[in-house]
Amino acid sequence: MDTPLAERLRPQSLTQFVGQSKLVGPDGLISKLLASAQSGRRFPALVFWGPPGCGKTTLARLIAQSLGRDFYEFSAVNTSVKEIEKVIPQPSHQLSFGTEAPVVFIDEIHRFSKSQQDALLPQVEKGNMIFLGATTENPSFSVIGALLSRCRVIVLERLNEQDLDQIISTALSELGTGMQPPARKFLLDASNGDARVALNVLDIADSIHEGKILTVKDIEQAIQKRQLAFDHGGEEFYNTISALHKSVRGSDPNAALYWLARMLEAGQDPLYVARRLIRMASEDIGVADPQALLIATAAYDACAKMGLPECNLALAEATVYLANCPKSNVVYMAYLAAADDVQKYGNLPVPLHIRNAPTQLMQDLGYSKGYDYSHSPEGKKKENIEYFPDQLKGRRYFPE
């Protein structure tokens, strides 16, 4: 059979849908919205936000089926707005409450540019289509505000182990094969909550195994490498680097190593990680251990010279060192206070006595007058010399 296993097992009704019980269960939001639509109310525009393989596309198809509407599916990767407009009825007047309006599903809506998303607004606003979008990225950042304000964001969760296990059981029944418990556990872990990954691996494993029961070796051969979902630039990217930073700040070298490995094993640029370590050394350690900045900078240099995978240990060494360092943010807080005064008071004039005076005219105007070059052999230390502008005299940013 040429049809992929994941497509053969795609649910044909909401009762067959596995997972997302808070949405599709008897009291779930989607179930209530569909029931309301059956009684004549308008079905709203929705944006599904969730990780890969959690059911976003399937849910969109089932909604269109339940509403009895024409369904058009597009991917923002290879679709133009003009292609979408071709399937939307263009009546001379606004469609009343979405009557006859097709369901238009746009996968990876975050890939549309701002202007492309803007172009969808009139169609959504007038009810010429029931818009459903899907994204793996936080729509707060990836969907323009004007479109987002016209939609309801529906958050889908990664499938838990119980849900994924149920899907695997259905798949094994469809394939007519068995699976050793260790192999099943390995597949559950490696799929990372992604039903599509689990089904695709099973599909491949079934086609290459020779025995009657799938083994760990079969799954390993089919999967080749465990799926490491990592969004290089989206929310998960920032969540992971935040976890690394906070683990270092919290002096937990074990957790810091874990988050470091998560980034590097998923292919993150080691120079980016090294730059973040330099920031941690300055922001969270500072004068408590000035050596930290040197260690972090050396790690960056090692990454620039070697690259992955050789530089991973240099980053690991620096990460552990920073996590074990005493912490101090006094320099960070002092700089913020100084920067705040700069923003508040603007370009205050430099006091005359600490200005440079390379010409006679400048000297005649009082530049550098009374300046004490105190550490020269002939210098005499003067007390209470003021180096601040007059408006900021006596400021103290850094603790004594």
Side-chain angles (χ1 to χ4, degrees):
M1 187 177 296
D2 293 334
T3 306
L5 180 63
E7 190 62 31
R8 301 206 306 268
L9 294 183
R10 195 179 290 275
Q12 300 303 306
S13 67
L14 282 177
T15 58
Q16 297 176 352
F17 193 92
V18 178
Q20 316 303 336
S21 58
K22 293 180 180 179
L23 297 176
V24 301
D27 295 321
L29 176 61
I30 298 298
S31 299
K32 290 181 177 180
L33 288 175
L34 287 172
S36 178
Q38 297 296 335
S39 63
R41 295 190 178 186
R42 180 177 179 178
F43 193 89
L46 304 177
V47 172
F48 299 130
W49 172 30
C54 66
K56 299 185 291 295
T57 300
T58 296
L59 193 54
R61 293 180 181 181
L62 293 178
I63 287 173
Q65 176 184 301
S66 298
L67 294 174
R69 303 294 179 90
D70 290 335
F71 179 72
Y72 299 97
E73 182 176 336
F74 300 95
S75 172
V77 175
N78 54 16
T79 301
S80 67
V81 174
K82 288 186 177 180
E83 290 179 83
I84 296 173
E85 290 176 339
K86 290 178 182 178
V87 304
I88 301 173
Q90 300 295 324
S92 57
H93 60 279
Q94 180 176 342
L95 289 169
S96 176
F97 297 103
T99 303
E100 300 178 14
V103 174
V104 175
F105 173 64
I106 304 177
D107 196 13
E108 299 190 84
I109 184 63
H110 59 275
R111 297 293 189 93
F112 262 178
S113 66
K114 181 180 183 298
S115 60
Q116 287 176 304
Q117 293 185 38
D118 278 331
L120 295 174
L121 292 177
Q123 308 295 350
V124 177
E125 184 81 9
K126 294 176 183 178
N128 292 341
M129 66 175 177
I130 297 176
F131 170 69
L132 302 179
T135 177
T136 55
E137 295 191 7
N138 190 330
S140 300
F141 307 127
S142 59
V143 180
I144 62 172
L147 181 57
L148 205 58
S149 68
R150 292 163 172 80
C151 302
R152 175 72 182 269
V153 175
I154 304 296
V155 180
L156 282 75
E157 299 175 350
R158 189 180 303 278
L159 295 180
N160 59 38
E161 189 170 299
Q162 182 178 355
D163 293 334
L164 205 55
D165 191 58
Q166 182 179 341
I167 292 171
I168 291 174
S169 293
T170 303
L172 291 173
S173 178
E174 169 73 12
L175 294 171
T177 189
M179 178 182 285
Q180 292 178 351
R184 192 174 184 125
K185 176 62 176 173
F186 176 64
L187 178 59
L188 284 169
D189 292 340
S191 298
N192 201 28
D194 188 327
R196 189 181 301 108
V197 168
L199 293 176
N200 287 343
V201 170
L202 273 178
D203 210 359
I204 296 172
D206 182 64
S207 65
I208 63 175
H209 87 292
E210 298 177 354
K212 296 181 179 179
I213 298 179
L214 293 172
T215 65
V216 171
K217 182 179 179 180
D218 295 324
I219 301 302
E220 287 177 338
Q221 286 184 320
I223 203 168
Q224 291 297 304
K225 185 175 181 180
R226 183 167 300 198
Q227 302 296 309
L228 292 173
F230 192 80
D231 185 3
H232 300 273
E235 186 192 22
E236 190 63 16
F237 168 84
Y238 294 107
N239 287 343
T240 309
I241 193 62
S242 175
L244 173 60
H245 195 149
K246 289 180 173 64
S247 298
V248 169
R249 179 184 294 159
S251 299
D252 189 334
N254 297 297
L257 278 174
Y258 169 76
W259 294 115
L260 173 70
R262 275 280 296 271
M263 299 190 80
L264 296 181
E265 294 301 313
Q268 177 57 49
D269 178 11
L271 289 178
Y272 172 82
V273 178
R275 286 194 294 270
R276 298 311 306 166
L277 292 178
I278 292 174
R279 173 68 185 193
M280 296 173 208
S282 301
E283 178 180 336
D284 299 294
I285 298 167
V287 293
D289 184 352
Q291 186 74 11
L293 184 56
L294 299 178
I295 297 293
T297 303
Y300 180 93
D301 188 45
C303 290
K305 290 178 178 177
M306 295 193 299
L308 287 174
E310 287 83 0
C311 73
N312 57 4
L313 290 183
L315 290 172
E317 180 181 345
T319 298
V320 169
Y321 185 90
L322 298 185
N324 284 326
C325 278
K327 305 301 188 294
S328 170
N329 70 343
V330 292
V331 172
Y332 175 56
M333 299 306 296
Y335 178 80
L336 289 180
D340 185 61
D341 275 344
V342 170
Q343 295 296 326
K344 187 182 299 182
Y345 294 98
N347 295 324
L348 296 175
V350 177
L352 286 174
H353 65 280
I354 58 173
R355 293 188 187 186
N356 189 34
T359 70
Q360 186 61 49
L361 174 61
M362 289 176 162
Q363 293 174 18
D364 293 342
L365 292 173
Y367 282 37
S368 199
K369 184 178 180 179
Y371 173 66
D372 177 33
Y373 194 17
S374 58
H375 61 272
S376 65
E378 66 275 12
K380 295 181 180 180
K381 179 66 175 177
K382 294 181 179 179
E383 299 296 330
N384 301 320
I385 296 178
E386 185 58 66
Y387 296 96
F388 272 110
D390 289 344
Q391 293 92 326
L392 299 176
K393 284 182 178 179
R395 275 286 199 278
R396 292 294 177 266
Y397 303 126
F398 196 83
E400 299 293 339

